[in-house]
Amino acid sequence: MRRKTLLLAGILLLGWGCSEDSLQRFIPRTLAGLPLRETVTGGNAVSMIAEMHGKPVAPKESAVAHYGEKSGTTATLYLSRYATAAAARSMLAEMSERIGGGGSVFRHHRKFEVNGRPVEMVLGLGQVHFFFAKDRILCWLAADVRHAAPALAQLLEAEIGDIPFPVQAN
């Protein structure tokens, strides 16, 4: 009986979601041609995200990846794994509602689909920001204008032509 209980507990732990480090497999080594410069995971990532929001908002299984040369970051990818895909979509809807309501540093909120996946976009802080849910993972990509659309296409495993409108510098 004890052996069955331990086996069942092990299966539940595996199915519940993997460790913080498992998010590493969702972090590309390069993004839109930019090299991965630094990755922060777990409690440190949660703290970074909380500091940006002024309150805790991310689950403990989170990661932040910085891309670009040492002189400055040109793209940052924020990932948070939720218990279910529905929970990730719910957080996406909550973020969309807050941003769409105004009163934030973001503007020009847009919603669109890439190959059937809902994606949201905002501009702010000198970057283009995309946010979307990919299964149980909530993703937020902040990138300079030049790398934004190619990075999004890479993350969604899409062609650049699948992005419904160009994001270009003027």
Side-chain angles (χ1 to χ4, degrees), residues 44-92:
N44 291 333
V46 170
S47 294
M48 286 177 72
I49 296 168
E51 188 175 318
M52 289 170 36
H53 290 85
K55 62 181 179 180
V57 294
K60 72 176 186 171
E61 198 172 349
S62 294
V64 180
H66 300 281
Y67 292 88
E69 300 304 325
K70 293 182 190 239
S71 61
T73 299
T74 54
T76 305
L77 178 61
Y78 302 88
L79 302 171
S80 292
R81 185 190 312 267
Y82 288 83
T84 65
R89 287 191 308 270
S90 176
M91 182 55 74
L92 177 68

Side-chain angles (χ1 to χ4, degrees), residues 33-161:
L34 299 168
L36 176 62
R37 194 176 80 217
E38 176 188 23
T39 303
V40 180
T41 60
N44 291 333
V46 170
S47 294
M48 286 177 72
I49 296 168
E51 188 175 318
M52 289 170 36
H53 290 85
K55 62 181 179 180
V57 294
K60 72 176 186 171
E61 198 172 349
S62 294
V64 180
H66 300 281
Y67 292 88
E69 300 304 325
K70 293 182 190 239
S71 61
T73 299
T74 54
T76 305
L77 178 61
Y78 302 88
L79 302 171
S80 292
R81 185 190 312 267
Y82 288 83
T84 65
R89 287 191 308 270
S90 176
M91 182 55 74
L92 177 68
E94 186 177 319
M95 290 168 52
S96 176
E97 188 175 311
R98 285 186 183 161
I99 290 171
S104 77
V105 297
F106 300 112
R107 61 192 188 289
H108 301 296
H109 183 211
R110 303 285 184 265
K111 297 179 182 185
F112 58 94
E113 287 189 5
V114 175
N115 296 336
R117 181 180 308 282
V119 177
E120 307 213 17
M121 183 198 89
V122 291
L123 303 177
L125 305 171
Q127 294 181 305
V128 179
H129 303 261
F130 297 107
F131 50 109
F132 56 92
K134 196 171 182 183
D135 301 316
R136 298 183 324 159
I137 300 173
L138 183 63
C139 304
W140 180 287
L141 169 65
D144 66 27
V145 170
R146 186 174 52 150
H147 294 96
L152 178 64
Q154 181 182 340
L155 290 172
L156 295 178
E157 299 171 10
E159 299 295 324
I160 192 73

Side-chain angles (χ1 to χ4, degrees), residues 2 63 160 170:
R2 180 169 160 74
I160 192 73
N170 294 330

